Amino acid sequence: MQIMLNMPEQNFCLIMKDNYTYDNLPDELKSRVTIFNRIAHNDVVQIINSCVLGVCTSYIETQHLSGLEMCACDVPVVATNTGVYQMHNDITSTRA
């Protein structure tokens, strides 16, 4: 959340596997965030391809599949140094 709060000029999308609601967001973010819950994989690809950057904030996930999906779409990813990113810190994007 702090990343989103620190970037007041930016809009964000959250792709969630659970039923995440706007009630979970601070009021100042609600107008700048679009939430996608349990959507079809083809739609996930389309949404990811519309992004300029992906962020994976988990400190406990070992695979970060969402980050790998973003890399597969050639979207740059900022992630915590855990799991697959800790083992392969040479993962880079070729997107210009």
Side-chain angles (χ1 to χ4, degrees):
M1 285 299 164
Q2 196 59 46
I3 292 171
M4 294 188 285
L5 290 169
N6 289 340
M7 300 177 72
E9 72 289 349
Q10 198 65 43
N11 293 324
F12 299 89
C13 71
L14 300 176
I15 303 172
M16 310 298 285
K17 65 180 176 181
D18 300 315
N19 291 324
Y20 197 86
T21 67
Y22 288 98
D23 295 337
N24 300 82
L25 294 173
D27 288 338
E28 59 267 33
L29 290 179
K30 290 178 181 178
S31 66
R32 299 188 298 120
V33 174
T34 303
I35 299 173
F36 300 92
N37 286 303
R38 298 184 180 270
I39 59 175
H41 185 72
N42 289 340
D43 294 335
V44 171
V45 172
Q46 184 177 4
I47 294 166
I48 290 173
N49 280 322
S50 71
C51 295
V52 295
L53 177 70
V55 180
C56 296
T57 60
S58 175
Y59 285 100
I60 58 173
E61 279 190 61
T62 57
Q63 294 181 338
H64 281 289
L65 294 179
S66 58
L68 295 175
E69 289 173 323
M70 289 182 258
C71 287
C73 292
D74 209 20
V75 172
V77 176
V78 175
T80 56
N81 190 20
T82 187
V84 68
Y85 301 113
Q86 186 177 34
M87 295 183 302
H88 299 285
N89 61 7
D90 60 343
I91 297 174
T92 59
S93 171
T94 58
R95 183 183 262 194

